[in-house]
Amino acid sequence: MSQHPETKAIRLQTPQTDQKEHATPLFLTSSFTYESAEEMGEAFADDTLDVNIYSRFSNPTVDEFINKVAALEGAEDGVATGTGMAAIFGTFMTFLNKGDHIISASAVFGSTHTILTKYLPKWGIECSYFDMNNPVSIEALIRPTTKMLYVETPSNPGLDIIDIAEVASLCRRHNILFVVDNCFATPAAQQPLKYGADLVLHSATKFIDGQGRVLGGVVVGNKDLIKQLYLFIRNTGPSMSPFNAWVLTKSLETLFIRMEKHASNALSLAKALQGNPKLSWVKYPFLPEHPQYEIAKKQMTNGGGLLTFELKAGVNGGRKFLNALKMISMTNNLGDTRSIASHPTSTTHSKLTEEERVAVGITPGLIRISVGLEHPDDILNDIMQALDKS
Ligand SMILES: Cc1ncc(COP(=O)(O)O)c(C=O)c1O
């Protein structure tokens, strides 16, 4: 009997042990034992055998987490990592070789930008950026050596959106691996594999955990690709801890219901802020004024939990706004039950030049709100009183 994703997020579970536990057990063990020397020998002889040896290679709790994310994303298989960045770096290292070329959206998370521009060139891998708002520019960047195309949709922090199906068909025509960071939407709102992406990855630290507790990353896709990635992660070491996997698999049980509430809180907040005289604009994927609203509606079932707005008062206004907040947290994480405000220009992106910031959509008064699960009136009231002082 096939089950809905909402049910799989709750019911996919490690087989019950003889203790008859109801909640999923935590296999906090670094290694596993064997009945005989022969069995141990066999386990080591074949890299891809489905047997637990050592928790850097595999672990039942981590497997449960992987299986759930794969089921929610509609993937055959997956690999879990210690952080989202390990998932991204592992994906680049597994599928890119010296002399290869990667095309990436310029609007990507800061550390991803650092890998693309600082580290990949050390190994002779070149990167070209394209503007998410101008996807027709991608084709001209394709070279015979182009092996991968990388996007975040919606992007962090600009909330730019790209048509996954269109990019996937371009990649297919040119035999390019298409990788999507689905961290902002989560599989509860968007499944990029359904639209033709080859690999989907996440910082599980964000909405998948949803409560700001543990770090984690995960990549899902077809068995062939995942096997290659699995061997890279297993041998180089950025594996997920069983404890974090246990926290994250429990979190997935509430992912759908949380994402619905994050999104409804964010949409009502976005609507309430539209037209505020202190703001030049408000951006949220499910506001008709979003430049890629039609695409968002086509490939997402809700607009997610992030919104941005631009303070007319610029950089100083941004600082004053953060300082005036009474409830909303000032922190750089996102995807928590608690609403979070950040001002990229004076914090995460302060080392970039003004020109570099504008090129990736970070304007001086840009505020990013990760809308939490508090009562929407309380979130709005805090923002309104802080706007008055900014
Ligand atoms: C879109 C996106 N991808 C990747 C990452 C990196 O994830 P982690 O912090 O778990 O390494 C982040 C972190 O903020 C992110 O926002």
Side-chain angles (χ1 to χ4, degrees):
M1 196 173 59
S2 86
Q3 289 179 335
H4 292 85
E6 289 85 344
T7 307
K8 287 182 181 164
I10 294 167
R11 288 285 170 180
L12 271 181
Q13 194 167 318
T14 317
Q16 203 174 44
T17 72
D18 55 11
Q19 297 300 318
K20 300 277 176 219
E21 71 282 354
H22 185 214
T24 195
L26 163 54
F27 289 92
L28 199 55
T29 176
S30 37
S31 68
F32 301 84
T33 58
Y34 310 89
E35 294 295 335
S36 66
E38 290 72 21
E39 193 189 314
M40 188 170 182
E42 269 170 40
F44 277 85
D46 182 353
D47 263 357
T48 56
L49 217 57
D50 192 17
V51 52
N52 292 313
I53 299 175
Y54 188 55
S55 286
R56 169 154 51 77
F57 303 178
S58 69
N59 172 285
T61 313
V62 178
D63 286 346
E64 178 182 306
F65 169 68
I66 294 170
N67 291 341
K68 277 191 190 175
V69 178
L72 300 189
E73 291 283 7
E76 287 177 3
D77 206 353
V79 181
T81 52
T83 64
M85 287 323 300
I88 295 167
F89 185 62
T91 301
F92 291 164
M93 287 292 97
T94 302
F95 299 105
L96 297 172
N97 294 311
K98 187 176 172 192
D100 284 347
H101 174 237
I102 172 171
I103 298 175
S104 168
S106 51
V108 285
F109 177 60
S111 296
T112 308
H113 168 74
T114 305
I115 296 180
L116 290 167
T117 54
K118 188 169 169 199
Y119 294 103
L120 292 191
K122 278 180 34 163
W123 299 298
I125 300 162
E126 289 182 30
C127 171
S128 302
Y129 276 142
F130 72 93
D131 179 353
M132 287 276 278
N133 295 296
N134 187 18
V136 289
S137 65
I138 299 175
E139 192 140 20
L141 298 173
I142 297 175
R143 306 176 191 171
T145 53
T146 307
K147 292 285 156 57
M148 186 183 286
L149 196 141
Y150 184 85
V151 300
E152 287 170 11
T153 181
S155 66
N156 182 10
L159 299 180
D160 296 323
I161 289 165
I162 201 158
D163 190 320
I164 300 171
E166 270 183 22
V167 179
S169 89
L170 177 72
C171 287
R172 222 171 299 123
R173 285 202 300 282
H174 293 271
N175 201 20
I176 295 169
L177 199 66
F178 181 27
V179 182
V180 177
D181 181 335
N182 199 27
C183 171
F184 269 34
T186 83
Q190 170 176 280
Q191 299 95 38
L193 296 176
K194 205 165 78 186
Y195 296 97
D198 296 303
L199 289 169
V200 170
L201 55 84
H202 287 276
S203 163
T205 317
K206 309 298 187 261
F207 290 104
I208 290 184
D209 174 27
Q211 287 145 88
R213 299 164 299 183
V214 298
L215 301 172
V218 59
V219 189
V220 296
N222 75 33
K223 277 196 182 301
D224 267 6
L225 293 173
I226 293 300
K227 195 161 125 189
Q228 296 174 57
L229 184 59
Y230 164 73
L231 290 175
F232 178 83
I233 300 297
R234 155 180 172 149
N235 285 304
T236 59
S239 314
M240 176 175 278
S241 116
F243 178 77
N244 287 11
W246 185 84
V247 172
L248 293 167
T249 191
K250 294 301 291 173
S251 287
L252 282 174
E253 294 181 19
T254 55
L255 180 73
F256 282 86
I257 197 146
R258 284 188 284 109
M259 289 316 294
E260 267 170 35
K261 182 68 175 159
H262 278 295
S264 73
N265 273 2
L267 181 61
S268 68
L269 182 63
K271 284 184 179 160
L273 291 173
Q274 269 188 315
N276 186 297
K278 296 267 181 167
L279 308 177
S280 323
W281 47 258
V282 178
K283 196 168 175 186
Y284 180 68
F286 269 31
L287 279 184
E289 291 75 14
H290 188 291
Q292 294 107 16
Y293 172 70
E294 294 303 331
I295 305 172
K297 280 285 198 184
K298 189 179 80 168
Q299 64 194 23
M300 298 170 75
T301 52
N302 64 54
L306 274 299
L307 68 83
T308 55
F309 52 75
E310 174 70 11
L311 287 164
K312 286 181 184 163
V315 184
N316 282 338
R319 283 202 194 97
K320 282 189 197 158
F321 174 80
L322 285 193
N323 283 331
L325 288 168
K326 292 192 167 136
M327 175 188 80
I328 297 176
S329 315
M330 234 195 284
T331 174
N332 63 331
N333 199 24
L334 60 94
D336 198 312
T337 50
R338 297 161 187 80
S339 293
I340 293 167
S342 66
H343 179 223
T345 297
S346 69
T347 57
T348 46
H349 293 71
S350 59
K351 290 197 188 73
L352 270 63
T353 65
E354 173 108 26
E355 251 184 3
E356 285 172 328
R357 277 195 294 266
V358 171
V360 293
I362 297 165
T363 41
L366 181 81
I367 299 288
R368 184 190 73 188
I369 307 284
S370 170
V371 183
L373 302 180
E374 304 96 337
H375 193 286
D377 292 350
D378 294 331
I379 306 172
L380 179 64
N381 289 342
D382 197 21
I383 290 180
M384 294 303 267
Q385 65 80 26
L387 283 178
D388 278 346
K389 293 176 189 134
S390 64

